[in-house]
Amino acid sequence: MINPKPSVCIIGGGNAAHALAALLPHQGYETRVFAPYMDQADQINAALLEQDGYMHAEFAPHNQPNGLIKGKPMLVSKNAADVIPLSDVLMMPLPSFTYTSTLTDIKPFLHEGQTLCVTPGQGGFDWIAEDILGSDLLGKITVVGLMPMPFNCRISEFGKMVQVQELKKHYSIGVIPSTAFDESKLMIEGMFGGSVLPAGKGTFLECSMFPINAIIHPSRLFTLLSSWEEGNVLDENPLFYEDFTPEGALSMDETNKELIEIGKSLTAKGVAVDIPHIFDWLACYVYNEPKESTLQRFFQTNDAYKGFRCPLIPASSGKGFVPDFTNRYFTEDIPCGLCLYKGLADIAEVETPKIDEIIMYCQKYMKKEYVVNGKLVGKDVGETSSPQKFGIHTIDDLKKLYYPC
């Protein structure tokens, strides 16, 4: 009997990849895994052998499904040729800084009719895909940006078990080409359930601009660390969300409002985008937070965000903690998030004092130079996911990309 569900290849070996490797085959999807990083494929295969080939996922009681589920991937490989050509849908639950290497690895094995679903799909993914894959190949496949990441989860035993605190039920997507939206919507609903809406007007530019990690993480850390200087230590490592402060919520609000102004200016100049506030979209739409709540209350009390510590590490003295500026909350959310916003702000001619302040603080300790004299012109702009890196410098450049003749 022919399986009516598409065959899926999960790309990566992280937390969400583990959850997908249990959930999708459990639901009847023919599932393979491409794990190219280090020796992850070997580790996963060895671990799966110890439990009859099944990946285990424990879903918290409020989810559907809940409890322990098991799924059996058909194949886990570090070789793209083994798994990519055989799959209808390629799921990429990956951080932005892996996009270039991943697309380079899979490019030779992509073929017409495949769907590439990247989650959360931010960091200028469409610009990177155009650069790596080329317009001809990109035109033969469907690309879906899925926001937010479907799971809040953590691996408890690599290759064997993942703890899923939250399986989200409300999503926004951007789709290339836009004519594939309805089909993509049905695909996401089939895999994860719940509701699926366009990200703003449904463009990939809006995927890059939607307020998720680059609004949350830098604002929280900037307010936590703004008085910290090299040589100092923090007495404790607070919980990232349960200990969320009024100052962090205010900084997040200010940053998001600047992002909304960037969107309004782009729209006024002929590049239409619709960017929401993080409270309206993430809190109220994704998590059904009451409208009368607040950002601080949402992050402090939502079960999906419980138990995560700030990216601090023990000080060399053995007493207290210091920031880990190599953590992805810095290395991804600044160059692939806030710098992308800043690049668009320069094109849209919008002042962004709060975004500038956070970038300037972080770049000092990251030993990078992104913003100089209020503009994204530093020597390390080429390491960012800003539009300028991809030769997009003007409104006309954006119009040619998103409204081709």
Side-chain angles (χ1 to χ4, degrees):
M1 182 176 178
I2 297 175
N3 188 344
K5 297 182 177 181
S7 57
V8 180
C9 179
I10 302 159
I11 300 178
N15 296 306
H18 275 61
L20 287 167
L23 179 65
L24 294 183
H26 175 79
Q27 294 180 329
Y29 290 87
E30 181 182 289
T31 305
R32 298 172 178 84
V33 179
F34 173 45
Y37 310 111
M38 298 182 289
D39 61 347
Q40 285 187 343
D42 293 337
Q43 290 185 52
I44 294 171
N45 278 318
L48 291 178
L49 278 176
E50 296 179 13
Q51 43 195 35
D52 297 323
Y54 285 89
M55 181 70 75
H56 295 185
E58 182 73 35
F59 283 73
H62 66 277
N63 293 293
Q64 189 56 248
N66 55 60
L68 179 65
I69 70 164
K70 303 177 183 180
K72 192 171 188 177
M74 295 183 65
L75 179 65
V76 179
S77 178
K78 63 182 177 182
N79 298 313
D82 294 339
V83 289
I84 299 299
L86 301 173
S87 304
D88 302 315
V89 177
L90 312 175
M91 295 292 297
M92 287 179 56
L94 298 174
S96 304
F97 58 79
T98 66
Y99 291 165
T100 296
S101 61
T102 301
L103 289 173
T104 300
D105 286 344
I106 68 175
K107 178 182 177 179
F109 310 104
L110 295 176
H111 58 77
E112 187 171 359
Q114 287 180 310
T115 295
L116 180 58
C117 182
V118 58
T119 182
Q122 301 205 291
F125 181 81
D126 57 327
W127 304 336
I128 298 169
E130 176 84 21
D131 187 51
I132 300 296
L133 303 182
S135 56
D136 287 346
L137 179 55
L138 199 57
K140 295 177 181 178
I141 64 175
T142 297
V143 183
V144 180
L146 172 62
M147 303 179 298
M149 181 83 79
F151 311 99
N152 287 19
C153 60
R154 284 290 181 270
I155 295 168
S156 53
E157 191 170 2
F158 192 84
K160 291 185 176 182
M161 171 69 82
V162 59
Q163 303 292 328
V164 181
Q165 179 66 24
E166 186 77 18
L167 171 59
K168 304 176 184 80
K169 291 300 182 183
H170 302 286
Y171 301 96
S172 296
I173 62 173
V175 182
I176 302 173
S178 59
T179 53
F181 176 85
D182 290 342
E183 182 180 354
S184 301
K185 176 178 183 290
L186 290 173
M187 178 189 76
I188 298 302
E189 289 172 344
M191 290 179 176
F192 307 113
S195 63
V196 178
L197 296 175
K201 300 180 185 301
T203 69
F204 242 90
L205 180 57
E206 288 159 304
C207 286
S208 289
M209 296 180 69
F210 250 51
I212 318 183
N213 292 344
I215 293 293
I216 301 170
H217 301 150
S219 286
R220 169 71 169 117
L221 293 172
F222 174 71
T223 52
L224 174 67
L225 302 173
S226 58
S227 61
W228 179 87
E229 294 181 356
E230 209 151 4
N232 294 346
V233 298
L234 299 165
D235 292 335
E236 61 178 355
N237 185 358
L239 290 162
F240 195 95
Y241 296 105
E242 289 99 314
D243 294 331
F244 216 91
T245 63
E247 294 79 12
L250 176 61
S251 179
M252 190 183 302
D253 177 66
E254 292 173 341
T255 305
N256 202 155
K257 285 177 177 175
E258 290 180 357
L259 180 60
I260 290 171
E261 287 304 311
I262 296 168
K264 289 179 178 178
S265 182
L266 290 174
T267 299
K269 294 176 185 296
V271 180
V273 293
D274 185 7
I275 307 303
H277 194 280
I278 190 169
F279 181 76
D280 297 324
W281 179 71
L282 184 65
C284 296
Y285 169 62
V286 174
Y287 285 105
N288 294 315
E289 184 78 2
K291 286 284 188 182
E292 61 271 18
S293 184
T294 65
L295 268 177
Q296 183 185 9
R297 186 184 307 157
F298 164 65
F299 282 117
Q300 285 181 333
T301 62
N302 191 287
D303 287 342
Y305 292 101
K306 290 190 179 302
F308 299 98
R309 294 281 173 184
C310 293
L312 308 181
I313 54 177
S316 58
S317 65
K319 296 182 179 181
F321 297 87
V322 296
D324 178 10
F325 288 102
T326 66
N327 183 275
R328 69 177 181 86
Y329 285 9
F330 297 103
T331 60
E332 179 177 11
D333 292 328
I334 301 302
C336 302
L338 290 189
C339 286
L340 185 150
Y341 301 164
K342 180 61 180 175
L344 290 170
D346 286 352
I347 293 173
E349 299 178 296
V350 173
E351 297 296 321
T352 54
K354 177 54 67 173
I355 290 174
D356 293 2
E357 185 181 19
I358 296 174
I359 294 175
M360 292 287 288
Y361 175 84
C362 293
Q363 70 181 20
K364 173 183 175 182
Y365 295 107
M366 293 170 68
K367 312 300 184 198
K368 299 293 182 181
E369 182 186 86
Y370 304 125
V371 172
V372 177
N373 297 324
K375 298 294 181 183
L376 191 75
V377 293
K379 64 180 178 63
D380 297 311
V381 169
E383 299 176 7
T384 72
S385 293
S386 66
Q388 288 79 2
K389 175 185 176 177
F390 300 94
I392 305 168
H393 298 280
T394 67
I395 289 291
D396 283 343
D397 290 337
L398 286 170
K399 287 180 179 178
K400 289 175 185 175
L401 186 62
Y402 292 103
Y403 305 101
C405 298

